[in-house]
Amino acid sequence: MTQTTEAVATAGETPSADRPRIHRAWFVAAVTFVTIIGAAAFRSLPGLLIDPLHQDFGWSRGTIGAAVSINLALYGLTAPFAAALMDRFGIRRVVAVALTVIALGSGLTVWMTAAWQLLLCWGLLVGLGSGSMALAFAATVTNRWFTERRGLVSGILTAASASGQLIFLPLLSWIVETHDWRPAAVTVALAALAVVPFVWLLLRDHPADVGQKPYGAKEFVPKPAPVTGAARRTLSVLSSAVRTGPFWLLAGTFAICGASTNGLVQTHFVPAAHDHGMPVTAAASLLAVVGVFDVVGTIASGWFTDRFEPRRLLAVYYALRGVALLFLPMLLAPGVHPPMIFFIVFYGLDWVATVPPTLALCREHYGDDSAIVFGWVLASHQVGAALVAYLGGVCRDVFGSYDMVWYAAGTLCAAAALMALVIRRRPAVTLPAAA
């Protein structure tokens, strides 16, 4: 019995002599794309809740921003452990549980009456669930199922989050405006639950489960045995990574990436535009347009990453983003005018274009442990986002304007561009195996 047949027999599936023309990896990538879209629904809501919760409960924007901050921090800090849990229990189980936790946390907000309940439901539960659905999920799928086209696939899967924002932002803003924020929270919960059957029935953990090689591989890759000690391995990989310079540069640049996207624009753009007289639905629609061009920009970035030096790509992306943020305070107005549309298109193209080259650099320096290392780099992304989500609300409460935050974020992006250029080319290495 051949190695391929043994792998298929173990998975309980019968191999076919005639392989489909379309590799199974693309179907797995499609299911992953849809799954991330469903999970992205919750990410569309926080910026729409700041003013309604402030009006309904009298909570300060800093308090509401604290809940978003906890959510964003846990989104990142959970990711590296989720990558290790996927190695232990499989992608399918971890993702199905994560979607259920997201639905639970979002649904329970309907009955909250105190600020601590917002911190618990939207901060803790949704943060933990979404962390397991973070980009480490996309990195794990890409690393297992693809040998070729990894940059393109990572770009497509990263764009799934923007696609979810595109789909849900206009809908959720309309629900909040016409029916209150509670039906919007229920919509997010139902969207997350709706994806669970797709994950359970269609997603597979490894190409060996269906008797195939990874896309582009020349040899069959047996499915590795489950890796026990997920938490220990995650911390061991971190311990090795922090001894290397590229880790700190990647973590630093990605922290600024999170601060200037999820933490600032995604959380505070709608209330900032509303401060200048723009209707909430119009501001939310502009964010949805960011999602449209984010899809284009991220997929294009994946294509570029397969062909050009990722360090230089990162430097260009961060420099352009910083320039755009410095101009934003001058563009906010009661109506939508051409310069604002140009900003939205420009910023959308650059939104998470940083992910494919960052993933490529993690693979280059950390080999088989790159998914877990990227999880820790993503944690820094979300810590940066969390700090700005909170500080942005505090600045608005204290100064009555978001202008200072836009300028500070633009300056940080310039620093990130310089940091990206400092990262040196090194041959791929594998971190010492966890004990």
Side-chain angles (χ1 to χ4, degrees):
M1 184 179 288
T2 65
Q3 189 178 36
T4 302
T5 306
E6 288 174 349
V8 176
T10 300
E13 299 191 23
T14 303
S16 172
D18 297 324
R19 295 299 181 195
R21 291 184 178 180
I22 300 178
H23 195 283
R24 181 64 177 266
W26 294 109
F27 291 102
V28 171
V31 174
T32 304
F33 186 89
V34 173
T35 302
I36 296 175
I37 285 177
F42 83 93
R43 297 183 63 193
S44 303
L45 195 55
L48 304 177
L49 292 183
I50 292 178
D51 287 336
L53 292 178
H54 175 70
Q55 294 169 4
D56 278 12
F57 299 103
W59 301 335
S60 70
R61 291 177 176 82
T63 298
I64 300 167
V68 178
S69 179
I70 293 172
N71 178 297
L72 293 172
L74 287 176
Y75 177 88
L77 293 172
T78 305
F81 294 95
L85 286 172
M86 289 176 188
D87 289 339
R88 174 66 179 88
F89 297 105
I91 298 173
R92 190 165 52 165
R93 292 179 181 177
V94 173
V95 173
V97 171
L99 286 166
T100 303
V101 172
I102 290 173
L104 180 65
S106 181
L108 287 176
T109 58
V110 172
W111 291 283
M112 67 182 179
T113 57
W116 68 266
Q117 294 166 349
L118 177 67
L119 300 177
L120 173 66
C121 294
W122 207 262
L124 180 63
L125 291 178
V126 176
L128 288 174
S130 61
S132 300
M133 290 291 304
L135 292 175
F137 169 40
T140 301
V141 170
T142 303
N143 289 347
R144 289 188 184 184
W145 281 89
F146 292 86
T147 299
E148 295 180 353
R149 302 288 187 267
R150 281 178 168 176
L152 176 63
V153 173
S154 62
I156 292 172
L157 296 182
T158 302
S161 180
S163 299
Q165 177 174 292
L166 162 66
I167 293 169
F168 288 103
L169 251 179
L171 173 64
L172 293 176
S173 65
W174 176 80
I175 293 174
V176 170
E177 284 284 290
T178 57
H179 299 289
D180 195 25
W181 61 268
R182 290 177 178 83
V186 172
T187 301
V188 169
L190 294 177
L193 283 178
V195 183
V196 174
F198 289 95
V199 170
W200 196 254
L201 296 175
L202 301 176
L203 195 62
R204 292 294 180 268
D205 293 328
H206 196 277
D209 288 342
V210 291
Q212 290 192 343
K213 298 179 291 186
Y215 179 82
K218 299 185 183 301
E219 297 180 357
F220 181 81
V221 179
K223 183 177 181 179
V227 181
T228 58
R232 184 173 64 252
R233 181 182 177 220
T234 302
L235 295 174
S236 176
V237 169
L238 174 64
S239 177
S240 298
V242 295
R243 298 187 181 100
T244 65
F247 174 81
W248 291 106
L249 291 169
L250 289 169
T253 55
F254 225 40
I256 294 172
C257 178
S260 56
T261 53
N262 303 68
L264 181 58
V265 176
Q266 184 167 307
T267 304
H268 294 291
F269 177 80
V270 171
H274 191 55
D275 284 347
H276 287 77
M278 185 180 295
V280 171
T281 51
S285 296
L286 288 177
L287 269 188
V289 175
V290 168
V292 175
F293 288 94
D294 183 15
V295 174
V296 177
T298 307
I299 294 175
S301 178
W303 187 86
F304 289 143
T305 302
D306 286 332
R307 291 161 175 80
F308 300 105
E309 174 58 52
R311 296 155 190 77
R312 294 182 180 179
L313 289 176
L314 283 179
V316 171
Y317 295 157
Y318 285 120
L320 293 176
R321 182 183 300 179
V323 171
L325 285 172
L326 292 175
F327 277 98
L328 180 57
M330 295 178 281
L331 302 179
L332 292 170
V336 179
H337 47 84
M340 174 58 78
I341 295 175
F342 178 81
F343 169 85
I344 292 296
V345 172
F346 187 87
Y347 208 78
L349 291 171
D350 198 8
W351 182 266
V352 285
T354 55
V355 173
T358 301
L359 264 172
L361 289 170
C362 284
R363 282 194 296 267
E364 176 183 322
H365 286 275
Y366 305 108
D368 292 339
D369 290 321
S370 61
I372 296 177
V373 173
F374 179 72
W376 284 113
V377 172
L378 177 64
S380 71
H381 180 282
Q382 295 308 116
V383 169
L387 286 173
V388 173
Y390 172 68
L391 293 175
V394 171
C395 285
R396 172 61 178 79
D397 288 335
V398 173
F399 300 108
S401 169
Y402 285 103
D403 287 357
M404 182 181 296
V405 188
W406 305 124
Y407 294 134
T411 304
L412 285 174
C413 287
L418 295 176
M419 292 167 65
L421 292 175
V422 174
I423 302 174
R424 296 178 180 177
R425 288 188 61 89
R426 292 185 182 181
V429 297
T430 303
L431 296 178

